[in-house]
Amino acid sequence: MTSAIRSTSIRYRTLDLVTIAMLGVAFGVVFWGWGKFYDVIDLGAAVGFKPAAGLLAGMWLIAGVVGGLVVRRPGAAFATEMVAAMVSMFVLGGTAWGGTVLLSGIVQGLGAELIFALFLYRRFDVVAAMLAGALAAVFACFYEWYYYWPDWDLQWRLAYLGFFTVSGIVIAGLGGWLLVRRLAQAGALDSFPAGRP
């Protein structure tokens, strides 16, 4: 049996809870920085097609994917994404998006969490990671259509869904899985199944 497919305990260790908190804080700082970068670059405006901004949006989905891959307990993906959203909103002076950041954290965390639940918290390979990133993007996209882009027509909404989903697969899914692998190789995850061969 590989480390990517294992049975997972439902009981949380103190280390699991601390790790969720630490990952959430670290990704909250990343989210805050990414938001500043996003404001400056705004890919959609740069290419003249606003839905293309979805290509950069996958970074905001990575916390849930990484939390799920590392901790491997029910609720870990959701909790990590929520902590990251709260940190980016409250601790670091807020974001341009205000309280909607928490709603984003909820829908993004739920998307990632549902994939790990679908696999009964037994599959943590690159496929599960990419699916978690994809579903987090789909959930986030539907939410954003309502809160941020209510005036877009169907073509723009579908284009945004496609761009955001690709970004979720590549940045959050594949990128998150690669990050966890590198952390495991460095020995940072030796206390977790993700750090064991």
Side-chain angles (χ1 to χ4, degrees):
M1 186 179 292
T2 69
S3 65
I5 302 173
R6 289 192 192 270
S7 175
T8 302
S9 171
I10 293 177
R11 290 186 54 190
Y12 275 83
R13 304 170 297 167
T14 302
L15 179 61
D16 299 327
L17 298 173
V18 169
T19 300
I20 288 170
M22 294 305 293
L23 286 171
V25 168
F27 281 114
V29 173
V30 169
F31 290 176
W32 175 82
W34 191 253
K36 300 296 183 190
F37 171 76
Y38 188 85
D39 287 343
V40 172
I41 300 299
D42 195 352
L43 182 63
V47 299
F49 185 58
K50 191 65 177 166
L55 290 170
L56 293 177
M59 181 59 74
W60 282 298
L61 311 173
I62 198 169
V65 174
V66 170
L69 291 173
V70 171
V71 178
R72 298 183 179 185
R73 302 271 192 275
F78 177 78
T80 306
E81 192 73 42
M82 282 301 301
V83 171
M86 286 188 282
V87 167
S88 71
M89 185 177 135
F90 293 121
V91 178
L92 299 170
T95 70
W97 301 285
T100 62
V101 169
L102 292 180
L103 294 174
S104 292
I106 290 170
V107 297
Q108 293 163 1
L110 281 174
E113 189 69 44
L114 284 175
I115 291 299
F116 294 118
L118 183 67
F119 288 121
L120 303 175
Y121 300 97
R122 293 176 187 229
R123 185 170 180 170
F124 301 95
D125 59 0
V126 69
V127 172
M130 290 177 10
L131 288 172
L135 191 58
V138 169
F139 276 34
C141 191
F142 284 118
Y143 160 76
E144 289 186 13
W145 286 352
Y146 179 76
Y147 278 96
Y148 300 135
W149 320 119
D151 56 334
W152 282 3
D153 64 20
L154 182 60
Q155 286 181 316
W156 275 41
R157 288 178 181 217
L158 293 177
Y160 187 67
L161 174 63
F163 288 134
F164 204 157
T165 303
V166 167
S167 185
I169 290 167
V170 174
I171 296 175
L174 182 60
W177 180 78
L178 288 171
L179 175 61
V180 170
R181 286 197 54 173
R182 297 301 174 257
L183 289 170
Q185 289 170 352
L189 302 178
D190 287 349
S191 297
F192 296 92
R196 299 182 199 124

